[in-house]
Amino acid sequence: LKPARRALSRAIAEEIRALLTREVLVGAGGALRRLGASDVFVLTRSLAEGLEIAEALTRAGVPHAFFKQDGLFSTAEARDW
């Protein structure tokens, strides 16, 4: 990884972890709740960038999943499942 992209991935992951551990409230219509990991989305331009972010999120202890990943059901994880 290029140093700048690696640093950016770490910064994104750390910021998400910080948001999830603070008392950040979200909601609509008066029904507030604490921010959860499923409320956060990270958009990337490529699968490679998505994998870089996923690695940083894993290292930061932030739960994550890929949404509409191309070829999701042909991955090793899907085969194991």
Side-chain angles (χ1 to χ4, degrees):
L1 299 175
K2 294 182 180 181
R5 279 192 9 197
R6 188 177 313 123
L8 180 58
S9 294
R10 277 195 309 259
I12 290 169
E14 291 300 323
E15 183 63 25
I16 292 170
R17 182 176 66 172
L19 287 170
L20 295 175
T21 58
R22 286 187 217 135
E23 294 292 324
V24 176
L25 299 178
V26 295
L32 294 178
R33 62 179 174 75
R34 212 168 152 183
L35 181 75
S38 63
D39 295 311
V40 180
F41 292 84
V42 179
L43 302 177
T44 62
R45 293 180 302 162
S46 68
L47 176 59
E49 288 179 359
L51 294 173
E52 291 171 18
I53 292 290
E55 182 179 330
L57 291 168
T58 298
R59 288 180 185 213
V62 177
H64 60 279
F66 288 98
F67 180 73
K68 290 191 176 183
Q69 177 184 357
D70 290 336
L72 178 64
F73 295 107
S74 61
T75 63
E77 293 87 350
R79 284 190 297 277
D80 289 345
W81 181 250

